[in-house]
Amino acid sequence: MLLLAQLLNGLQYGLLLFLLAAGLTLVFGIMSFVNLAHGSLYMMGAYIAASVANSTGNFLVGIAAALAGCLAIGMLLERVAISRLYDKDHLSHVLATFGMIMFFNELASMVWGKQPLFVAIPALLDGTVDLFGLQYPLYRFAVIVAGLAVAAGCYLMIHKTRLGMLIRAGANNTAMVGALGINIKLLNAMLFGIGAALAGLSGAVAAPILSVQAGMGEPVLIVTFVVIVIGGIGSVKGAFYSALIVGVVDTMGRAFLPLALNAVISRELADAAGPALASLLIYLLMAAVLAWRPQGLFVAKR
């Protein structure tokens, strides 16, 4: 039962990572823009969802507000600042978006204060579900289902809609798509906004599990970059499978590595070294993948 519970926790964590990685890999792989502020959009989604849910008492309204708010923030950010950096090198992207991280962290502290915000799990999902004899938290199970639904929606949008066709065409030859009368600026703004909305959704869904506070986007951003490097930059399918792999490896490592070390060394030393070594597992995995397939496991087909 412990193995099944940790496997489900790994899937849930992986699907949250996918919501972040899908937007980041589209912006990074298709627009060739390094957006370090993507984690800040995740933080803003969590803050908006927590504030609206606590004010209205309705968590679904909080999620809708986070989606709409982050979509608007993303499109505004793209028009005001990001679009001016497309013809700059990656170092300029990194420096500019690092400054945006500082801006959003200070903005969050000014608007919501220094103390963390908490939001209760919705009453409808505050229970357990029986999975093969395991009483698993219903909210975490709902996160898994919602993550899979969003993944299916992303696949259909990219491969079965006109917008997805334009995004893929724009990635191959921006000038040609522009010559056909497509508004490339609007397309880029929409793509950046969709990525921001997915990041905001991830933050909103994570809000009842984590404490919402300034700076919460930076640690998860590092893991998200690991996901897109393993999956292949620009590949939504790669981001999906890679996020699941990283989520399961990280969760399993944190749960079972201390137990495995306890069999060969003292418990005190195992408890101290286990979590530290477990946190290295995903980076060792990334190094192994880069040594074997530098382009990632699932290269984007355009």
Side-chain angles (χ1 to χ4, degrees), residues 83 103 157 162 260 265 279 286:
S83 60
F103 169 78
M157 185 197 75
R162 175 176 170 79
I265 58 178
S279 65
M286 181 179 70

Side-chain angles (χ1 to χ4, degrees), residues 238-258:
F240 176 73
Y241 289 119
S242 175
L244 295 184
I245 293 170
V246 169
V248 170
V249 168
D250 186 72
T251 304
M252 290 290 188
R254 293 179 189 278
F256 294 108
L257 192 56

Side-chain angles (χ1 to χ4, degrees), residues 13 20 32 61 153-154 197:
Y13 179 46
L20 266 171
S32 189
V61 175
C154 287

